[in-house]
Amino acid sequence: MAIICTTPTTSPAEKEQEPKQDLENDQTPPLIFNPSLLNVQSQIPNQFIWPDKEKPSIDIPELNVPFIDLSSQDTTLEASRLIAEACTKHGFFLVVNHGVSESLISDAHRYMESFFDMPLAGKQRAQRKPGESWGYASSFTGRFSTKLPWKETLSFPFSNEISGSRTVQDYFSGTLGQEFEQFGRVYQNYCEAMSSLSLEIMELLGLSLGIKTDHFREFFEENDSIMRLNHYPPCQTPDLTLGTGPHCDPSSLTILHQDQVNGLQVFVENQWQSILPNPKAFVVNIGDTFMALSNGIFKSCLHRAVVNRESARTSMAFFLCPKKDKVVKPPSKILEKMTPRRYPDFTWPMFLEFTQKHYRADVNTLDSFTNWIITNKFTV
């Protein structure tokens, strides 16, 4: 089904009232986040200093997250029970024996490091354009003017179509040139592995919610997803800034692989708790879109990334998203047991546009998006 509404136009004055956007309203050129230069300065720019109440915590506890072993069919029911327990509390769990080859993961990390080691001018060949959700971004300096994250990212699209699209390879070759063809092949293979893994996880999520295991697998079979490479350089004052601010992922499911440096934190039971790196495991968390698909039964939880003074940190995040024309709504079996509907029907492009142009992601993103749909009388 197609969207039959258009995004409403807003005046500059109205845009200043939209929550969380924090966009530059003057003609001042945006700050350039160049870690090699910023780290030799006596102090970090004020734009990267976060308010006291949001600054990183010290000596936080480790979050108790279940390990889901995907290699044993004998434990499927136990795995679904553990997932249901975790996802009703905070939406995070780890998967091990996942079948993704160690060599592919290693290659993906190696090529990521080589990209971020490039001079800034080289990375800017893939500069993210305004309004797009992929490309190279040096912090969020082009979008926001305060509370900037201490990081740089490279995001690119992945489309899992039956026709066998080579979206990732085409992106690297078309954006960075033919010399990046091998980059494209590695990340094409990595994204295909992440898509397959996410479909396995979707079967367990369906079982955990008491519906047919193939329901969500079929819904996400042809997905239009996003892959993001994250680089968090060392910072001389890590107690003042954040690598990624507190947010909930707007996508459906995130599959994250961390390097050996600690930095991921989740807000559970009114305190920040860490998920330590484990090279054998993927960190999986529920996003806002899947929370809507479960009618709020499974939680999309607030999380963030911190930085440190000594070591750079890298991570790879695959954001599973529905195909663009899929309507996001809970299965009828969930609605038979749980009413009323918490969120209206929507499509992923509608939600993505809201987070890119109208709202800075936080714990209230999905509720604010719901109000935005109702206020503007959008229909799908």
Side-chain angles (χ1 to χ4, degrees):
M1 301 175 68
I3 304 170
I4 59 172
C5 59
T6 57
T7 304
T9 56
T10 52
S11 68
E14 288 173 322
K15 271 194 174 293
E16 291 180 5
Q17 301 304 314
E18 290 176 350
K20 297 290 181 184
Q21 187 64 8
D22 187 31
L23 295 170
E24 290 281 6
N25 292 314
D26 56 25
Q27 299 302 311
T28 304
L31 175 71
I32 300 297
F33 179 69
N34 189 340
S36 61
L37 296 179
L38 292 177
N39 269 324
V40 298
Q41 298 179 8
S42 58
Q43 62 182 29
I44 64 175
N46 288 335
Q47 295 97 317
F48 292 95
I49 297 177
W50 286 63
D52 289 342
K53 65 179 181 180
E54 296 183 272
K55 286 174 182 172
S57 311
I58 300 175
D59 297 327
I60 66 171
E62 183 179 352
L63 180 64
N64 182 23
V65 288
F67 282 78
I68 308 302
D69 186 344
L70 297 182
S71 66
S72 175
Q73 296 299 317
D74 296 334
T75 59
T76 299
L77 290 177
E78 175 64 8
S80 67
R81 184 191 67 78
L82 291 171
I83 287 175
E85 183 179 337
C87 290
T88 52
K89 290 181 178 178
H90 49 66
F92 278 80
F93 54 95
L94 302 178
V95 295
V96 294
N97 295 323
H98 40 68
V100 182
S101 75
E102 291 184 10
S103 62
L104 178 57
I105 296 172
S106 177
D107 284 348
H109 274 284
R110 180 164 53 87
Y111 278 103
M112 171 171 56
E113 290 170 4
S114 68
F115 175 83
F116 288 120
D117 282 344
M118 290 170 58
L120 181 62
K123 292 180 284 192
Q124 286 179 328
R125 289 164 61 187
Q127 187 70 41
R128 186 173 181 170
K129 295 181 175 61
E132 288 189 352
S133 53
W134 49 77
Y136 171 74
S138 57
S139 186
F140 286 147
T141 55
R143 294 181 61 196
F144 307 118
S145 58
T146 61
K147 298 198 298 185
L148 294 179
W150 193 265
K151 70 173 180 179
E152 53 184 343
T153 62
L154 177 65
S155 306
F156 42 93
F158 169 75
S159 181
N160 190 46
E161 298 179 352
I162 295 175
S163 60
S165 170
R166 309 298 288 179
T167 317
V168 178
Q169 284 187 224
D170 293 344
Y171 173 82
F172 273 89
S173 296
T175 304
L176 291 166
Q178 288 302 314
E179 64 269 31
F180 283 83
E181 185 177 354
Q182 182 59 24
F183 270 70
R185 276 198 293 268
V186 167
Y187 289 116
Q188 180 74 45
N189 292 336
Y190 186 85
C191 287
E192 289 174 0
M194 291 300 99
S195 180
S196 295
L197 177 59
S198 68
L199 297 181
E200 283 189 63
I201 295 170
M202 280 297 159
E203 290 185 350
L204 288 173
L205 289 173
L207 188 62
S208 302
L209 287 165
I211 65 172
K212 292 194 300 183
T213 57
D214 60 356
H215 178 89
F216 291 124
R217 183 184 184 97
E218 291 176 355
F219 185 83
F220 287 101
E221 191 80 49
E222 290 190 280
N223 57 79
D224 288 315
S225 298
I226 300 170
M227 182 74 204
R228 179 167 298 158
L229 311 179
N230 301 299
H231 177 235
Y232 304 92
C235 179
Q236 66 268 43
T237 51
D239 56 324
L240 299 180
T241 190
L242 288 170
T244 299
H247 68 286
C248 296
D249 294 338
S251 53
S252 299
L253 195 74
T254 302
I255 304 179
L256 180 79
H257 197 273
Q258 308 184 75
D259 66 6
Q260 299 293 332
V261 181
N262 188 23
L264 175 61
Q265 299 182 349
V266 185
F267 195 70
V268 183
E269 296 175 346
N270 293 315
Q271 65 175 335
W272 288 103
Q273 302 184 48
S274 67
I275 297 182
L276 300 180
N278 182 331
K280 301 289 187 181
F282 286 103
V283 182
V284 179
N285 68 274
I286 298 298
D288 286 341
T289 301
F290 195 86
M291 184 162 71
L293 281 169
S294 72
N295 204 36
I297 297 174
F298 284 178
K299 309 302 180 188
S300 175
C301 190
L302 205 64
H303 55 285
R304 68 184 186 183
V306 299
V307 294
N308 67 83
R309 187 177 285 105
E310 293 80 22
S311 303
R313 175 176 177 263
T314 56
S315 66
M316 304 184 295
F318 179 82
F319 300 105
L320 178 71
C321 310
K323 202 170 187 297
K324 292 182 174 66
D325 59 354
K326 290 281 189 179
V327 178
V328 176
K329 59 182 178 181
S332 57
K333 192 166 184 179
I334 288 180
L335 296 177
E336 288 170 5
K337 298 177 181 178
M338 180 186 183
T339 54
R341 283 282 301 275
R342 288 193 58 181
Y343 312 104
D345 291 357
F346 63 90
T347 61
W348 168 242
M350 292 171 67
F351 195 23
L352 180 61
E353 180 178 347
F354 177 75
T355 61
Q356 294 296 307
K357 297 182 180 179
H358 302 282
Y359 198 84
R360 186 170 184 170
D362 64 6
V363 71
N364 298 310
T365 306
L366 188 54
D367 288 334
S368 297
F369 173 65
T370 296
N371 293 334
W372 186 68
I373 288 177
I374 294 172
T375 300
N376 292 286
K377 300 180 180 178
F378 283 4
T379 56
V380 174

